[in-house]
Amino acid sequence: AVVECLADESDNPDTQGLLYGRDIYFSLRKDARFDVAPTVDEITSILEFFASPLIGCVNKKKDAYYANGTLNDVSQKFGFYATLCKN
C-alpha cells in the first residue's frame, strides 16, 4: 500500500512524485485493507526499508520519498528474493 501510494503520485506534476510519511499516512489511515491503520512512524520505517540499498524500490530526496519503478517492478524484486530464500 505504501509503494502503491508513491507509484500513484509518480506522474503528479504538483508533488513531482515526492511524498512524506505523513502524506502516505493520510492516504492510508482509512484504507479498508488495514484493520488498524499504520502510524506515521511505521510508514517511515517501511519507507526506509524500501529505500535501503538491498531493496531499492523507493528513493529519498531530503525527507521525501518517491517510487523507483512500478508496482510490478517491486513484485518482481520480492519474488526474486523469495525464490532465493527457498533455495
Side-chain angles (χ1 to χ4, degrees), residues 23-43:
D23 300 328
I24 296 170
Y25 166 78
F26 287 127
S27 294
L28 298 182
R29 67 183 172 170
K30 296 187 187 222
D31 192 309
R33 294 176 283 186
F34 297 104
D35 291 331
V36 177
T39 66
V40 174
D41 288 340
E42 289 170 331
I43 291 169

Side-chain angles (χ1 to χ4, degrees), residues 53-87:
L54 180 66
I55 306 301
C57 298
V58 168
N59 289 331
K60 186 174 182 180
K61 185 175 184 180
K62 296 190 181 181
D63 290 332
Y65 297 86
Y66 60 97
N68 184 21
T70 65
L71 288 176
N72 188 43
D73 296 336
V74 174
S75 176
Q76 288 180 3
K77 185 169 275 193
F78 277 94
F80 171 76
Y81 286 134
T83 301
L84 288 177
C85 290
K86 290 178 185 177
N87 294 328

